[in-house]
Structures are given as C-alpha cells and as structure tokens.
Amino acid sequence: MANQRINQSFLALKERAVLLALVRRLPDWATPDHLTAIGLFGAGLTLLGFIGCHWSNGFLVLVVGGLFLNWFGDSLDGTLARHRSIERPHYGYFIDHSSDLIAQTLIVVGLGVSPYFTLGSSLLVLSLYLLMSSYTYLRVVTERVHRLSYGGMGATEFRLLVASWALFAAWLGSSATTAQAYGFVVLDLVIGGLSGLTFLGFVVVIQKDLARMQREEREIMESLPPALAAHEPSILDVDDQSLIEPAAN
C-alpha cells in the first residue's frame, strides 16, 4: 500500500539484520499467513501468562515466550513476503494491521489485568497506541508513507518494555501497583503524565503535518498554468450529466 516504509527505532538496524538471517532459514512450506498466525498465538499466550501471574510469577515464562512469538511472527510475515516477492498489497496490508491491532490489544489488556500494572493505565496506553495507529494509517492513505516508529520506539521496543516492566515489577513486589501519592496510585500518575505528554506531542506532529501538506498543495497549485488552475475540478463541482437519471418505465 505504501511507497515508503520508515523505521527509525533504536533497534531497527540490528533487528533488520536478524530478520534477514532468519527469513533465509525458514522452510519452503512456511508462508506469511503462518507467521501472522504465530504472532497472534504469541499475543494470546502473553495474555494467558499475565493472567496466570496472579497465582505464580513462574507464568512470566509464558509472558516472555508469548512476546517472543508475537515478535517472530509479526516481524517476519512481511519480511518473508518481500523476500520471496509474493507480496499481496491489499490483502497483506489488511491482514497484517488487523492482526497487529488484535495482538497489541491482547498484550496491553493482559498487562492491565496482571498483578504488575493497573487496568486504567493499560487502557490509557492502549488508547494512545490506537491513536498513533490511526495516524499511521492516515499517512499511508494521504502520503503513501508507512512510519513504523515514533521517537525511536517501535513495536519491538514496546514488547521489550512490556517484558522488562513485568520482570521488574515481579521483583519489586506489590508496591509496584499499590504505592500511592496524593491519594492516587503512583504508577497511574506516572503513566497519566507520560500519556499527556505523548498526546501533546501527537497534536504538535499533526499541526506540523497539516502545515506542510497545505504548503505543498499551495506550491502545486501555483505551479499550474493560470487557466488550468482556474478550472481545477472540485469535489463540490456538479456536472450537468450527473443530474440526468433514466426515466422509470
């Protein structure tokens, strides 16, 4: 769908080398759809692992394993399609990003229902993820550019952050989600503050993009011959023929 894929995350270069090495070793029978299914399975496993952590921290093995499988499937499905030149632009784009939305929802909600986070904070994080996803898809449609990271953070860094926090919170104990300040859970205050800053940054980015797009469109209009620019079709223009309908028998 997009003409450009931009990944400027912290681990992008090293991750790309790993993915290329892995994709060359995949068996011939493996398909991108198989990998997409593995990614979804990993997200579901992560959710189950987080729920199980209410009984034992040992279920963190499932959490980490599920996040790894989610990374493996989600990162390699498109890489395999491009490597074998079997890309399906519309189907591939739709199934890949539909799966991403489902998988990230399972992972973030799983974190929220675990003993290592609060549900309110996890839903706030999920809303920001969906907000940034919507912006990403808008740019694909309007500019044919697919940005895979923001501020150095991509899907891989996010998975590592989730796993690292879960391990740290398990080591720290219940105080990770019970410590309070000013009558609020400290974790919620921190996540709320970071989310607010992220939202403000998002608004600034939108404003800059709108200004740039308006400037680019104005330059295009100014470069057109006066006669052509004056007759540039508008979405509000109605052709006479569009008012003609076949008569009923």
Side-chain angles (χ1 to χ4, degrees):
M1 292 291 291
N3 293 334
Q4 286 184 314
R5 298 174 75 254
I6 302 174
N7 189 354
Q8 297 176 321
S9 66
F10 296 122
L11 301 175
L13 292 177
K14 293 181 179 179
E15 181 183 25
R16 187 178 305 166
V18 172
L19 293 177
L20 289 175
L22 287 173
V23 80
R24 295 188 185 103
R25 291 167 172 78
L26 289 175
D28 292 338
W29 54 262
T31 68
D33 284 352
H34 291 150
L35 292 168
T36 299
I38 289 174
L40 279 172
F41 174 77
L45 193 64
T46 302
L47 171 63
L48 293 177
F50 273 133
I51 294 173
C53 288
H54 281 285
W55 289 276
S56 170
N57 286 336
F59 282 94
L60 281 170
V61 174
L62 288 183
V63 172
V64 175
L67 288 169
F68 172 78
L69 288 176
N70 179 251
W71 168 82
F72 183 85
D74 180 52
S75 300
L76 277 176
D77 53 5
T79 304
L80 179 63
R82 289 185 291 274
H83 177 71
R84 295 181 179 175
S85 299
I86 54 174
E87 297 170 274
R88 294 169 290 179
H90 296 288
Y91 174 85
Y93 181 85
F94 186 86
I95 192 173
D96 184 33
H97 296 293
S98 296
S99 300
D100 285 347
L101 293 172
I102 295 171
Q104 294 304 322
T105 298
L106 292 175
I107 291 171
V108 177
V109 171
L111 178 63
V113 299
S114 76
Y116 314 126
F117 218 67
T118 65
L119 184 59
S121 287
S122 72
L123 293 178
L124 190 56
V125 171
L126 180 60
S127 68
L128 287 173
Y129 169 79
L130 296 176
L131 186 70
M132 298 305 294
S133 295
S134 300
Y135 167 72
T136 297
Y137 304 148
L138 281 173
R139 287 203 66 186
V140 170
V141 173
T142 58
E143 301 183 71
R144 314 286 293 180
V145 172
H146 188 184
R147 180 171 289 278
L148 301 172
S149 63
Y150 297 94
M153 288 291 295
T156 298
E157 287 79 7
F158 179 74
R159 294 184 189 98
L160 288 173
L161 188 61
V162 170
S164 299
W165 172 258
L167 293 171
F168 173 74
W171 171 80
L172 190 63
S174 61
S175 61
T177 57
T178 58
Q180 294 196 353
Y182 307 105
F184 297 94
V185 176
V186 172
L187 179 62
D188 289 341
L189 290 175
V190 173
I191 296 299
L194 292 175
S195 298
L197 291 174
T198 302
F199 183 79
L200 288 176
F202 173 76
V203 172
V204 170
V205 169
I206 291 293
Q207 192 174 30
K208 288 183 177 179
D209 281 346
L210 285 173
R212 175 178 51 79
M213 293 170 68
Q214 188 178 43
R215 182 175 63 253
E216 291 173 352
E217 290 187 351
R218 186 184 299 115
E219 291 173 354
I220 292 174
M221 291 299 296
E222 291 175 352
S223 67
L224 294 174
L228 182 60
H231 293 86
E232 186 71 16
S234 167
I235 192 173
L236 298 178
D237 290 340
V238 179
D239 188 89
D240 290 341
Q241 294 299 318
S242 64
L243 301 176
I244 300 175
E245 298 178 351
N249 293 329

